Amino acid sequence: MGEVLVVTSGKGGVGKTTTTANIGTALAMMGYRVVLLDADIGLRNLDVVMGLENRIVYDLVDVTNGRCRLKQALIRDRRFESLLLLPAAQTKDKTAVNPEQMKALCDELKQESDYVLVDCPAGIEQGFKNAVAGADKALVVTTPEVSAVRDADRIIGLLQADTEMHHPLLIINRFRPQMVRRGDMLDVDDVNEHLAIELLGIVPEDESVIVSTNRGEPAVLNVNSRAGEAYRNISRRLMGEEVPFMDIESNGTFMGRIRRLLGMRTG
Amino acid sequence: MQRILGKEANRASKNIAAERLRLVLMHDRLDLTPQMMDSLRSDILKVIADYLEIDESGMEIALQRSNNSIALVANIPVVKMKRLPASAG
């Protein structure tokens, strides 16, 4: 019996889909049976990020409406035998599914997998309620910006008030160490202090994520990607492994490295 | 060096962000339900009752917001002082 993890954020554009794709792929690389479930009905994207968009026949709504069997809608990843995707419907809206149906679907999916990762839509309306309905654990993604942290705070409040997921885990995405050193970006402590939930990982801003999305190959598959490395670490922490936070500070510019070599304080 | 380059003028937008975040979260979280307000009120009464006799019907408590702070403002009419033992405890 597997576990259902929902990846959520409140705010759009902070990297929920990228996070879902990368953690799911990393877990599959580690040999786990993983199902990626795109709960963003009407605005599906997980299929594109995974590079599986051409293989969709049936979708989530077809399954819940009984137009096909669950097995028919699941797309098997080309790279990993144990990685499956259940795409969202593109031509329906969020009301096409209700939380009870989502819960039943998650319960069925976790019978034959180790992890079900649910990519939650932005917002706090029905799409959010659907996505969290069947989840056992929540991963909250934010970026070091006032708006994203504020929305994450709201989401954490809702999870704690309306669900059993009282201890969500935090992922800080798009972290830019150089800007933090310059004093132009909230640092990890600023975010942690306010949200006060367990930090699962910090993902640096990384151009390789855009390249990997262009290609439909999650960044965890690229051994040279810093973001990919961060997501691999996050996945290992999810497994209960103690993985030290990567030294994002050391990924500075050439000048930054020189400055640190000279022992200059950079804030 | 940084000062010469005019860094001082637009220094540390992070500090501005951190302060704005603190305030915005304080406002967002300040969603006390009427039940919580009632329970706060009765707890305050309990504490005060040890020291003062007050007019409960005239008691007003409210959260007041201004631009950069939030205050719990209480207006509690005192009916009479209690005489405390000289060396209590």
Side-chain angles (χ1 to χ4, degrees):
Chain A
M1 178 83 138
E3 191 174 34
V4 180
L5 310 177
V6 61
V7 179
T8 183
S9 69
K11 187 175 179 298
V14 297
K16 283 179 296 298
T17 303
T18 305
T19 298
T20 308
N22 277 288
I23 296 179
T25 305
L27 291 172
M29 284 166 81
M30 292 158 78
Y32 293 100
R33 295 167 302 166
V34 178
V35 179
L36 303 177
L37 197 170
D38 191 346
D40 200 348
I41 298 169
L43 290 170
R44 76 172 169 219
N45 273 322
L46 188 53
D47 54 331
V48 172
V49 174
M50 291 300 295
L52 299 172
E53 69 274 19
N54 293 329
R55 314 239 316 266
I56 297 176
V57 181
Y58 296 109
D59 59 46
L60 170 60
V61 177
D62 292 326
V63 175
T64 52
N65 285 356
R67 269 193 296 275
C68 71
R69 282 175 296 111
L70 177 55
K71 290 247 161 70
Q72 291 176 289
L74 289 168
I75 301 166
R76 194 171 294 279
D77 186 84
R78 287 174 266 107
R79 296 149 294 210
F80 299 99
E81 178 83 346
S82 68
L83 182 56
L84 299 166
L85 169 72
L86 180 56
Q90 182 69 342
T91 53
K92 307 284 189 327
D93 68 28
K94 300 181 197 309
T95 58
V97 176
N98 63 44
E100 291 73 34
Q101 290 172 316
M102 283 296 286
K103 169 126 185 34
L105 179 62
C106 288
D107 288 348
E108 190 176 349
L109 284 171
K110 70 181 177 183
Q111 295 301 324
E112 287 180 39
S113 58
D114 300 305
Y115 292 95
V116 178
L117 270 85
V118 183
D119 185 14
C120 178
I124 53 175
E125 308 301 327
Q126 177 151 6
F128 168 74
K129 290 177 183 139
N130 283 340
V132 302
D136 303 306
K137 199 185 268 184
L139 311 184
V140 175
V141 183
T142 190
T143 61
E145 293 164 278
V146 178
S147 52
V149 176
R150 177 197 207 175
D151 289 2
D153 184 69
R154 186 96 166 83
I155 286 293
I156 293 165
L158 288 173
L159 289 170
Q160 292 177 340
D162 300 342
T163 74
E164 298 298 306
M165 294 180 281
H166 296 167
H167 301 287
L169 302 169
L170 182 67
I171 295 172
I172 301 177
N173 196 16
R174 301 247 173 86
F175 189 77
R176 298 174 69 155
Q178 294 168 47
M179 289 194 72
V180 171
R181 277 198 292 275
R182 274 210 312 266
D184 276 331
M185 180 174 267
L186 292 171
D187 64 30
V188 172
D189 289 341
D190 292 322
V191 178
N192 256 339
E193 178 198 327
H194 289 295
L195 297 183
I197 60 173
E198 188 184 333
L199 181 64
L200 182 63
I202 306 156
V203 182
E205 174 89 287
D206 184 351
E207 289 184 1
S208 73
V209 171
I210 295 172
V211 175
S212 73
T213 306
N214 288 344
R215 296 182 198 277
E217 290 168 358
V220 290
L221 298 171
N222 176 356
V223 289
N224 296 318
S225 164
R226 296 279 296 173
E229 186 186 350
Y231 281 122
R232 287 192 297 272
N233 288 346
I234 285 172
S235 307
R236 287 166 58 201
R237 286 188 202 110
L238 272 174
M239 298 303 90
E241 235 182 280
E242 291 252 349
V243 186
F245 285 98
M246 58 194 242
D247 187 10
I248 283 178
E249 294 287 320
S250 72
N251 188 33
T253 54
F254 178 68
M255 272 310 289
R257 252 173 270 150
I258 302 265
R259 232 180 276 143
R260 265 189 313 286
L261 275 174
L262 297 174
M264 284 168 68
R265 260 191 61 82
T266 47
Chain B
M1 174 73 166
Q2 291 191 331
R3 226 164 278 160
I4 296 166
L5 291 173
K7 265 266 176 167
E8 195 77 322
N10 55 0
R11 176 177 50 101
S13 65
K14 165 223 144 100
N15 294 337
I16 300 170
E19 177 61 10
R20 292 178 63 215
L21 178 62
R22 188 182 70 80
L23 288 169
V24 90
L25 288 184
M26 197 159 65
H27 277 101
D28 286 359
R29 288 173 181 173
L30 202 69
D31 201 13
L32 285 186
T33 61
Q35 291 90 326
M36 286 168 76
M37 217 51 195
D38 281 350
S39 123
L40 173 62
R41 185 191 159 96
S42 69
D43 281 354
I44 290 176
L45 277 174
K46 248 182 273 169
V47 173
I48 292 179
D50 288 342
Y51 302 88
L52 307 166
E53 194 172 306
I54 62 166
D55 172 15
E56 278 189 43
S57 61
M59 173 177 179
E60 281 170 27
I61 63 167
L63 289 159
Q64 283 186 4
R65 301 150 193 238
S66 70
N67 277 341
N68 55 7
S69 67
I70 294 172
L72 177 67
V73 178
N75 191 349
I76 308 170
V78 178
V79 177
K80 69 178 173 199
M81 307 294 289
K82 291 196 174 175
R83 184 171 296 153
L84 293 174
S87 57

